[in-house]
Amino acid sequence: TGSIILATFLLSSCGDTVRFESPQPEGQSNEKRIPKRLVGQYSSLNNSLKLTITDRLIIRNSIAAISDKIDTVDMKGVNGDTTYSGVDNQVKFDIRIKGDSTFQRWSYYDTIFDASRGDILRKFKGRYFLNERVSANSWRVTTLTKIVNGVTLGTVGTTEEIDKLRELTDTNSDSTFSFRPTKRELKKFLKENGFNDKDMFIKTK
């Protein structure tokens, strides 16, 4: 039942498509750990996201609560007042059903960098590149940039950015979302506002 209620949220949270065929930037040395000055707890200025940074791990999480009429969700086989709690993949949820209403609270945890699983950290042009291993030749890349009192996380998230990557890397297919830019191509991409789909986080402790 929890899976059905949370399906829309899960799909919207995992919809990123751009991958890189090698850790970015190519040819740059790996950093051993995240700098101490970035370690801490952060809150987003844009939404309910929270960010936890340690020297080898970055976790992003969101907590939300909603209520709705029971006839707007698929609750087959449910009779009477009851409560469900559990974990569905990366989501911890608590669902309370009372009368004709549902009350849902969930926490979504997304580990965007974990050195222990083989993720790679590199630094280039004032940014840290969080290379999250998806498979041997597929990496999800997020930029981490220090700002006053906080950090920003940047991803490639717009059609314009994807088209620019295709142009810079001479990728002709419109159906391709996997890229391998040279360091020079990546530098130009950054100068033209690459990784511009950003969340800004303020340090809380």
Side-chain angles (χ1 to χ4, degrees), residues 177-195:
F177 293 89
S178 183
F179 303 94
R180 188 165 188 167
T182 64
K183 186 185 288 189
R184 183 177 181 180
E185 289 167 346
L186 181 69
K187 183 178 179 180
K188 188 172 182 180
F189 184 59
L190 293 172
K191 287 183 69 174
E192 296 182 10
N193 275 333
F195 292 93

Side-chain angles (χ1 to χ4, degrees), residues 17-21 137-138 169 171 175-180:
T17 55
V18 174
R19 298 288 183 269
F20 291 83
E21 295 175 9
N137 298 307
S138 181
T169 58
T171 302
S175 62
T176 298
F177 293 89
S178 183
F179 303 94
R180 188 165 188 167

Side-chain angles (χ1 to χ4, degrees), residues 30-171:
N30 298 343
E31 300 287 323
K32 292 182 178 179
R33 58 183 57 85
I34 297 168
K36 187 175 181 180
R37 65 193 179 97
L38 298 179
V39 171
Q41 303 284 330
Y42 298 80
S43 291
S44 174
L45 289 181
N46 305 325
N47 45 49
S48 64
L49 290 174
K50 307 290 184 183
L51 196 68
T52 300
I53 301 179
T54 73
D55 63 343
R56 293 174 62 81
L57 184 71
I58 300 179
I59 298 174
R60 177 173 51 196
N61 77 287
S62 180
I63 300 174
I66 58 175
S67 60
D68 216 334
K69 293 296 183 182
I70 196 168
D71 58 6
T72 65
V73 294
D74 186 351
M75 301 296 290
K76 292 178 182 178
V78 175
N79 295 303
D81 298 348
T82 188
T83 298
Y84 298 90
S85 297
V87 177
D88 186 342
N89 294 320
Q90 295 167 288
V91 179
K92 295 181 180 179
F93 63 88
D94 183 78
I95 304 166
R96 184 163 59 92
I97 300 165
K98 187 172 181 61
D100 64 352
S101 299
T102 65
F103 303 88
Q104 307 166 41
R105 176 182 171 85
W106 40 256
S107 301
Y108 175 73
Y109 293 86
D110 181 19
T111 301
I112 61 176
F113 182 81
D114 185 354
S116 68
R117 69 184 178 193
D119 295 348
I120 291 175
L121 177 69
R122 292 180 177 174
K123 187 178 181 181
F124 185 64
K125 296 296 179 182
R127 297 175 173 88
Y128 288 92
F129 285 74
L130 312 174
N131 292 278
E132 180 185 350
R133 184 192 296 271
V134 179
S135 63
N137 298 307
S138 181
W139 300 78
R140 182 184 294 111
V141 179
T142 304
T143 59
L144 174 67
T145 307
K146 180 77 174 70
I147 59 173
V148 177
N149 298 325
V151 297
T152 63
L153 291 178
T155 57
V156 179
T158 67
T159 301
E160 291 76 15
E161 286 180 288
I162 295 171
D163 288 343
K164 177 58 65 176
L165 264 179
R166 289 195 180 112
E167 178 186 332
L168 288 172
T169 58
D170 197 24
T171 302

